Amino acid sequence: MADAADSGSSEYGSANPWLIAVLVSVATFMEVLDTTIANVALRYIAGGLAVSSDEASWVVTTYLVANSIVLAASGWLAQMFGRRNFFLACIALFTVSSFLCGIAWNLQALLIFRVMQGLAGGGMTPVAQSILAAAFPPAKRGQGFALYGIAVVVAPVVGPTLGGWLSDNWSWHWCFLMNVPVGIISLALIFFIIPSSPERRAARRAMWSNGPRFDLIGFLLVATFLGALEVVLDRGQIDDWFNSPFIVAFAALSAIALLLFIPWELTREEPLIDLKMLTGRQFGTCFVIMLVTGALLIATTQVLPQLLQERYNYTATWAGLAISPGGIVTMCMMVVVGRLGFVQPRYLITAGACIAAVAMIDLWRMTPDVDFWFFAWSRVILGVGLPLIFIPITAASYDGIPASRTDQASALINLARNFGGSIGVSLSQTMLAQREQFHQSRLIEHIGTWNPVYNDTLARVQDYLKTRSATGSVSGSSVAVIGQILQGQAVLLAYIDVFVMLAVLAGLMIPLALSLRTVTRGGSAPVH
């Protein structure tokens, strides 16, 4: 069978690859948007369904768990049923489940429908990437991945803004119902415009004639590992990590599944996931860089709006708007980076990692009285750096990968991005809670009548409150005001510590990027 991807031709014949890129990117945008849009609507969901905030948070957890589980099997399903057919099935299920989420009558129903939505969404993203890799010759993949990158990188940024606006002005139901018309239109256009690949049809017939071989045990093991790990990462901080028997049980379950999964897959003739791909220098390094990129993208997208709402009293809508300029810059940079195919990926990734680190370092200057544009400009800087990482690493990850393993490569790279995001959020929230306690305990050490700075501040606060008190007794109120100021400072210092950690993560990508080999253009390189 001819290897279309390697020969420079498109697997989809005369179909316009740019039109294919637009269609699959729109569908992917819709799916990735749902990973963050529900976060800001949780309190509205809790109120609307009469449940606690902790119970409502399972709306996010169930989606992420289902999403991660199906990622493991997406490569095999795409091979057996065809990328186009599987992609269409995922869009159809995602659209139907989005409608059902929007009309959910209680929390139990909403969680079931979110699982369905996560299963569909988990299959869409890696298959979309595989379709693009097959539609464009290697020399032009960077330009094709630019459109895909807009969907994957910008959607998490738009999610909090759109989710906040819909929840504030309409209803949380529209966070899900808005997917329905987009899904229906995408389904129709992809069905009529993207043809079925003749080469893939022949390969599928050969696979079916030999009998479909699905590594069921491998799937159950990796699904258990990924699903349990996602629960640990998403619920760890909420349930006090390993002080919770629930978290301990899921962590043990995840570890046991992983220990059984690795030797099982390494001894299979047709493994569900080819773990040997991760041992190659090129693909393994790309996997780790994408893991860190996902952590940076999702962690900053969640932490910044949270900071603005908690410390600066922004509404959900305004908190989302503060990171929106970065989304606009990201879209523009995706187009620019897509045309930089003549520059080796390792140099682009290095530049992007440096810029991302600068964006995090810039946030160390944060004070209680910074304005909207301080955060907006920081996000703009990050919006310049992320495309320099995302597009080159996506293109570099396919270098040397034969067409028969493209689906697995897509699944693993998307798995890295998804779990990188979960790890980044989990680390950020854990560090935030711990460092807030640390800074509060250190600041309290300076509170006492022996400290002249404290006495001067207390006197100023008392004088201020006396002008606004009818009774003249302000001693208790003044101490309470100082306590609030101290608490606010502890929170601010904890957020700065989080940004220090994210800057270090960005810096770790630099030596990894420089270790990548030179990418061959217009052909296939040997797999190392």
Side-chain angles (χ1 to χ4, degrees):
M1 182 181 68
D3 195 327
D6 290 343
S7 65
S9 61
S10 172
E11 195 175 278
Y12 300 101
S14 60
N16 189 323
W18 290 107
L19 185 56
I20 292 175
V22 170
L23 293 177
V24 299
S25 296
V26 169
T28 302
F29 185 92
M30 175 180 66
E31 187 276 323
V32 178
L33 188 72
D34 263 52
T35 61
T36 58
I37 195 172
N39 290 354
V40 295
L42 288 180
R43 62 190 180 98
Y44 295 95
I45 293 174
L49 298 179
V51 297
S52 68
S53 298
D54 182 60
E55 290 174 313
S57 66
W58 280 98
V59 171
V60 175
T61 303
T62 50
Y63 181 87
L64 293 175
V65 169
N67 197 281
S68 62
I69 287 174
V70 80
L71 269 173
S74 62
W76 184 86
L77 291 169
Q79 287 181 339
M80 291 305 300
F81 300 101
R83 293 172 186 151
R84 174 180 174 273
N85 296 337
F86 181 55
F87 194 60
L88 288 170
C90 288
I91 295 175
L93 179 59
F94 190 87
T95 304
V96 171
S97 56
S98 294
F99 174 76
L100 293 174
C101 286
I103 63 169
W105 49 92
N106 58 34
L107 180 64
Q108 291 74 20
L110 179 57
L111 294 182
I112 292 172
F113 300 145
R114 279 289 276 178
V115 169
M116 293 169 54
Q117 197 181 38
L119 291 173
M124 284 170 60
T125 311
V127 175
Q129 194 167 317
S130 296
I131 290 173
L132 283 177
F136 286 87
K140 294 185 178 180
R141 277 180 185 165
Q143 298 177 37
F145 285 138
L147 277 176
Y148 174 81
I150 290 175
V152 173
V153 177
V154 176
V157 178
V158 175
T161 307
L162 187 57
W165 186 83
L166 289 172
S167 300
D168 288 341
N169 297 283
W170 290 71
S171 164
W172 65 265
H173 301 82
W174 284 100
C175 292
F176 304 109
L177 293 175
M178 60 168 288
N179 292 328
V180 177
V182 178
I184 293 173
I185 294 172
S186 297
L187 191 67
L189 291 176
I190 290 173
F191 179 81
F192 288 109
I193 293 175
I194 300 181
S196 180
S197 168
E199 295 176 353
R200 301 289 294 182
R201 282 201 303 268
R204 288 200 305 275
R205 282 196 296 268
M207 292 179 68
W208 281 102
S209 63
N210 296 326
R213 297 181 181 179
F214 181 62
D215 184 8
L216 179 60
I217 295 178
F219 173 72
L220 293 176
L221 288 173
V222 73
T224 302
F225 160 60
L226 294 176
L229 179 60
E230 187 62 64
V231 170
V232 171
L233 292 173
D234 197 56
R235 304 290 303 180
Q237 180 57 37
I238 297 173
D239 294 336
D240 197 22
W241 287 105
F242 295 105
N243 291 320
S244 164
F246 175 80
I247 295 298
V248 171
F250 271 83
L253 182 64
S254 178
I256 292 171
L258 176 62
L259 291 175
L260 294 174
F261 173 72
I262 293 174
W264 176 268
E265 289 297 287
L266 290 176
T267 55
R268 298 305 99 186
E269 290 184 7
E270 296 183 15
L272 179 71
I273 297 178
D274 188 357
L275 296 178
K276 294 177 182 177
M277 293 176 65
L278 295 175
T279 63
R281 187 188 77 180
Q282 185 80 352
F283 189 83
T285 304
C286 290
F287 183 89
V288 175
I289 294 176
M290 185 59 84
L291 201 72
V292 178
T293 303
L296 278 174
L297 172 63
I298 304 301
T300 54
T301 300
Q302 178 162 322
V303 167
L304 274 177
Q306 178 181 318
L307 166 64
L308 291 171
Q309 292 178 77
E310 178 183 348
R311 183 66 184 84
Y312 295 92
N313 299 317
Y314 282 38
T315 63
T317 303
W318 277 101
L321 287 173
I323 63 176
S324 293
I328 296 172
V329 172
T330 298
M331 286 191 287
C332 297
M333 281 299 298
M334 285 290 182
V335 178
V336 173
V337 177
R339 295 182 175 275
L340 296 179
F342 56 88
V343 182
Q344 281 296 317
R346 61 171 177 261
Y347 301 128
L348 293 175
I349 296 167
T350 300
C354 291
I355 294 172
V358 168
M360 295 299 98
I361 292 171
D362 183 62
L363 288 168
W364 301 357
R365 302 185 297 110
M366 183 168 53
T367 62
D369 55 355
V370 293
D371 60 9
F372 175 93
W373 286 105
F374 173 82
F375 296 101
W377 277 113
S378 172
R379 192 70 192 191
V380 165
I381 298 172
L382 187 63
V384 174
L386 284 178
L388 287 167
I389 303 171
F390 184 83
I391 297 177
I393 201 60
T394 304
S397 65
Y398 286 98
D399 184 53
I401 300 295
S404 59
R405 298 197 331 196
T406 298
D407 294 314
Q408 285 217 18
S410 298
L412 287 170
I413 287 297
N414 280 277
L415 184 65
R417 178 178 54 80
N418 281 13
F419 264 90
S422 297
I423 292 170
V425 170
S426 183
L427 284 175
S428 298
Q429 295 301 328
T430 300
M431 174 171 277
L432 188 61
Q434 294 179 352
R435 297 300 292 179
E436 182 180 338
Q437 294 175 1
F438 169 81
H439 287 299
Q440 187 173 357
S441 64
R442 295 287 81 80
L443 291 173
I444 287 175
E445 294 174 357
H446 300 278
I447 301 297
T449 54
W450 50 267
N451 188 336
V453 176
Y454 169 76
N455 292 330
D456 180 64
T457 303
L458 182 64
R460 290 173 181 271
V461 172
Q462 288 175 340
D463 291 341
Y464 174 80
L465 293 178
K466 282 177 182 178
T467 62
R468 288 162 173 76
S469 173
T471 63
S473 177
V474 297
S475 59
S477 300
S478 58
V479 172
V481 169
I482 291 178
Q484 291 176 354
I485 295 173
L486 183 146
Q487 179 64 29
Q489 289 288 341
V491 170
L492 208 62
L493 290 170
Y495 274 104
I496 290 174
D497 288 343
V498 170
F499 296 130
V500 170
M501 177 198 69
L502 294 175
V504 171
L505 285 178
L508 290 176
M509 285 192 286
I510 296 173
L512 289 173
L514 293 174
S515 71
L516 292 172
R517 67 165 182 257
T518 300
V519 171
T520 309
R521 311 205 183 283
S524 176
V527 181
H528 296 307

